[in-house]
Amino acid sequence: MSILAEAASRLLRSRRLTRAPIWLYRARLGGLLGGRLLMLEHIGRNTGARRHVVLEVLEARGNPADSYVVASGFGDRAQWFRNVTADPRVRVYAGSRAPAPATARVLDQHEADRVLGDYIGRHPRSWEQFSAVLERTLGTPVSATDTALPMVELRLDR
């Protein structure tokens, strides 16, 4: 494990750092973060409170996008993942647009492998650097075949 991957995985566990982009999305300035990120609003499965997380978009489908695929870098133990599994009704903040209601669906293994393979093909440098971080946070190797990386499709309700 590289020192860089270890440092990056620790940064991802920093609540302050990971929550900072949420304020940009709330101010409708999410476009400043580029098209590879979105903010997901979901409902806490125990509290019923609104929760927010900023995630990387692995795949946007449609033109304009009517669905997005995101991954859970902390596996099925990530709180947002557990919440959308319990209640798939969510809201998506993409770029500087107004939030849109959506439905979350966990991808099956075949779909997840295809999405990850496509992502690796489009972003090989990012993947080279980020895969070690994912392996550290997941605790297992990650590849485009039988990936251990859970993925969720967020389909906008139209």
Side-chain angles (χ1 to χ4, degrees):
M1 180 62 55
S2 75
I3 294 170
L4 182 61
E6 175 65 25
S9 68
R10 284 185 188 192
L11 283 175
L12 287 174
R13 289 184 174 93
S14 166
R15 184 168 175 82
R16 253 193 185 152
L17 180 68
T18 58
R19 302 211 36 93
I22 291 171
W23 297 106
L24 289 172
Y25 280 98
R26 285 184 173 162
R28 296 229 177 125
L29 297 173
L32 296 174
L33 299 175
R36 286 179 57 184
L37 298 175
L38 63 73
M39 183 171 76
L40 175 66
E41 180 181 288
H42 52 98
I43 303 299
R45 65 194 177 286
N46 295 322
T47 64
R50 289 183 182 180
R51 304 289 186 200
H52 299 88
V53 63
V54 175
L55 302 164
E56 182 177 5
V57 174
L58 298 183
E59 182 177 86
R61 299 171 175 173
N63 189 15
D66 62 355
S67 74
Y68 301 90
V69 176
V70 295
S72 178
F74 287 96
D76 59 6
R77 66 186 186 277
Q79 296 302 312
W80 75 264
F81 184 82
R82 294 170 74 186
N83 289 340
V84 302
T85 301
D87 182 355
R89 295 169 299 163
V90 298
R91 289 198 321 168
V92 172
Y93 297 67
S96 298
R97 295 186 309 200
T103 304
R105 176 183 68 86
V106 177
L107 298 186
D108 66 28
Q109 187 67 57
H110 176 73
E111 291 174 299
D113 288 347
R114 185 201 55 76
V115 169
L116 186 56
D118 290 350
Y119 177 85
I120 292 168
R122 285 190 318 274
H123 306 288
R125 285 189 190 165
S126 295
W127 179 250
E128 184 179 320
Q129 296 170 352
F130 196 54
S131 62
V133 176
L134 283 174
E135 289 177 358
R136 175 81 176 133
T137 60
L138 287 171
T140 187
V142 179
S143 69
T145 306
D146 294 326
T147 184
L149 188 62
M151 294 188 202
V152 175
E153 177 190 43
L154 306 168
R155 179 164 298 283
L156 301 183
D157 298 339
R158 300 266 181 205

